[in-house]
Amino acid sequence: MRYLPHTEADREAMLAAIGAKSVDELFVDVPAEARLAGPVAGLSTTKSELEVERILGAMAAKNRPAGAMASFMGSGAYRHHVPASVDYIVQRGEFLTSYTPYQPEIAQGTLQYLFEFQTQVALLTGMEVANASMYDAATAAVEAVQMANRVTRRGKAILSGALHPHYRETIETHGRFSGFDVAALPANLDGLAGIEALLDAKTSCVVVQYPNVFGRLQDLRGLAAACQKAGALLIVAIPEIVSMGAVVPPGDMGADIVVAEGQSIGNALNFGGPYVGLFAAKEKYLRQMPGRLCGETVDADGKRGFVLTLSTREQHIRREKATSNICTNSGLCALAFTVHLSLLGETGLKRLAALNHAMATSLEAKLARVKGVKVLTDAYFNEFALELPRDAAEVVDKLADKGVLAGVPGGRLWPDDPSMARTLIVAATETNTLADIDLFAAKLAEVL
């Protein structure tokens, strides 16, 4: 094969070195039902480049991109406007340097923007320190749980019933293989209900979402006090970072660790990625933080410079003693985040947040007047949940045919929970117009 130059003898030598009889033995952990018995049926083995482009183009044309019609989808991935200037600045040579800043003398641009990124994340979340980014919010949440386990020397995580199912499932998967326990509450609108009753001497942390998966905003001070009393850490996950331009940050309510999805700023939806995870904590837990931390210093001539202050990754230095074995910094996405937020500034972010909230309140007012629709979320930023008189997934499909991407049905997020079938989670951002909202309300009434 063109990109695999190893000979059969090379492969046999490598297999012998690790004690495997065949390449197939390297995949024993993959369940048999998930493996293909042979080539994919109906898939041609040979096509010209032009033919492949035509086939893939036809497949892509079947998609309905969020930008092609009125979109009210959210649930952890939000459509926002990214100025063209972001892409221009991102491509400048001072910043678009080597991915890994091992040598500070030739990576000053990379180190400086990561330093600024950390400062921005700490300010947004109300925390004392932040790292140089993670993969995304879901894996950042896992890292936060594992960090809490190290800090408290305990091994039980309590997950809110209003934590995004994708975050919950990611934590549960790592718990299964890393050896910590997970107590996940069933889906409920009040994401704080039932948590304090589960706190015990084995609890290392509590993970809640803010705003929660139903869009609800809640005061976390009481829960933070309860966690502190029990010796557990409070981890807060933020799915929509733009909300921090309008609401009280988790750090001001007693959070110990804050993770967030940074996609909303500087990064388009991109069919699900790559995104950028944000991670911040109290300074006393600095040495247990995963990933990298960039710092400011001066060189031999007294000039301002930047260095890699803390690096706990497994690829170098710490190796098997690393605090993390999955994290890296999503460099380009973090750069886009930093550039966009720098262009907005504090005033611009607050205006953007206010516009998002205004659009959401206009959307709520319109949809609440549609017969049979009930608004479930009493306090929100730019996202809220509805109860429909019929299956939400069917309604979403019908509205897509009418030019409206109506949101995320509860049955998609909780397929095994019948109580969520008529729940629809909708979001509005600055990319929506009042005409979009009128269209949504009219078509929803028509479908219902």
Side-chain angles (χ1 to χ4, degrees):
M1 293 176 67
R2 182 177 177 186
Y3 299 107
L4 298 175
H6 306 109
T7 65
E8 192 59 38
D10 292 334
R11 295 190 185 92
E12 289 179 1
M14 288 188 283
L15 288 170
I18 62 175
K21 294 179 181 178
S22 68
V23 173
D24 290 339
E25 285 192 14
L26 303 180
F27 299 91
V28 293
D29 291 326
V30 179
E33 61 271 18
R35 298 183 222 164
L36 291 173
V40 178
L43 187 64
S44 174
T45 56
T46 56
K47 289 285 183 184
S48 70
E49 182 177 340
L50 180 57
E51 288 175 308
V52 171
E53 287 179 358
R54 286 171 179 162
I55 293 169
L56 294 180
M59 292 171 64
K62 296 178 182 179
N63 290 316
R64 290 170 177 159
M69 60 182 75
S71 176
F72 298 91
M73 300 183 73
S75 290
Y78 302 89
R79 182 179 172 228
H80 290 284
H81 174 67
V82 180
S85 51
V86 172
D87 284 339
Y88 172 76
I89 296 173
V90 161
Q91 294 177 60
R92 289 186 63 90
E94 303 97 308
F95 303 117
L96 195 63
T97 55
S98 297
Y99 154 71
T100 305
Y102 290 136
Q103 296 174 272
E105 65 273 16
I106 59 171
Q108 283 299 292
T110 299
L111 289 165
Q112 180 173 0
Y113 84 68
L114 288 176
F115 179 81
E116 302 296 352
F117 171 85
Q118 292 167 182
T119 305
Q120 291 171 335
V121 172
L123 288 170
L124 285 171
T125 58
M127 302 302 287
E128 294 169 337
V129 292
N131 73 10
S133 87
M134 312 289 282
Y135 287 138
D136 55 24
T139 49
V142 171
E143 292 286 359
V145 170
Q146 294 180 323
M147 175 177 161
N149 292 343
R150 293 191 297 272
V151 170
T152 63
R153 299 182 185 277
R154 300 175 179 179
K156 173 187 166 186
I158 300 173
L159 310 186
S160 162
L163 178 68
H164 197 297
H166 294 173
Y167 296 13
R168 185 201 71 233
E169 290 166 8
T170 305
I171 294 171
E172 288 175 337
T173 298
H174 281 266
R176 194 179 314 128
F177 292 101
S178 299
F180 61 84
D181 297 325
V182 177
L185 289 158
N188 65 85
L189 189 66
D190 182 356
L192 306 186
I195 290 178
E196 291 189 34
L198 294 178
L199 285 168
D200 57 25
K202 296 180 180 179
T203 305
S204 66
C205 61
V206 170
V207 185
V208 298
Q209 187 169 310
Y210 176 77
N212 73 26
V213 71
F214 300 101
R216 193 177 190 206
L217 286 163
Q218 294 167 287
D219 193 335
L220 303 177
R221 292 180 180 89
L223 179 60
C227 289
Q228 186 175 20
K229 184 178 179 181
L233 304 189
L234 176 60
I235 299 170
V236 179
I238 304 169
E240 167 59 293
I241 195 62
V242 173
S243 66
M244 293 300 103
V247 303
V248 177
D252 291 357
M253 292 189 284
D256 295 290
I257 305 173
V258 177
V259 297
E261 179 53 67
Q263 170 268 318
S264 290
I265 298 179
N267 293 276
L269 290 170
N270 290 328
F271 292 94
Y275 286 172
V276 55
L278 315 183
F279 194 108
K282 291 181 177 178
E283 188 173 2
K284 63 182 178 180
Y285 304 132
L286 175 64
R287 290 255 167 215
Q288 292 298 333
M289 281 179 61
R292 299 187 176 111
L293 192 144
C294 296
E296 182 182 13
T297 186
V298 292
D299 65 12
D301 298 322
K303 294 181 180 179
R304 184 189 190 209
F306 301 91
V307 293
L308 200 57
T309 300
L310 186 69
S311 187
T312 55
R313 302 199 317 160
E314 80 288 354
Q315 287 94 326
H316 61 293
I317 305 173
R318 300 272 297 177
R319 297 186 179 273
E320 71 278 359
K321 295 181 181 179
T323 57
S324 167
N325 285 305
I326 69 163
C327 77
T328 182
N329 74 286
S330 301
L332 190 61
C333 298
L335 173 58
F337 178 99
T338 301
V339 171
H340 190 181
L341 192 54
S342 298
L343 291 171
L344 283 170
E346 183 177 352
T347 301
L349 178 64
K350 288 181 176 179
R351 286 179 179 172
L352 177 61
L355 181 55
N356 272 249
H357 182 61
M359 278 296 167
T361 56
S362 296
L363 179 63
E364 184 207 3
K366 285 283 186 179
L367 298 184
R369 291 200 289 268
V370 176
K371 186 178 179 180
V373 174
K374 179 182 178 182
V375 177
L376 300 176
T377 310
D378 55 0
Y380 57 84
F381 170 62
N382 70 349
E383 187 168 33
F384 53 90
L386 305 171
E387 184 181 293
L388 304 183
R390 53 187 287 196
D391 186 89
E394 294 178 5
V395 173
V396 167
D397 286 344
K398 290 182 181 296
L399 286 171
D401 292 333
K402 295 179 180 294
V404 178
L405 296 176
V408 179
R412 180 176 176 183
L413 296 177
W414 297 275
D416 299 324
D417 188 344
S419 68
M420 290 290 124
R422 294 193 292 125
T423 300
L424 179 64
I425 301 171
V426 298
T429 72
E430 78 284 358
T431 62
N432 293 116
T433 65
L434 294 177
D436 290 339
I437 292 172
D438 289 340
L439 179 65
F440 186 3
K443 295 302 180 182
L444 179 60
E446 184 180 313
V447 167
L448 294 179

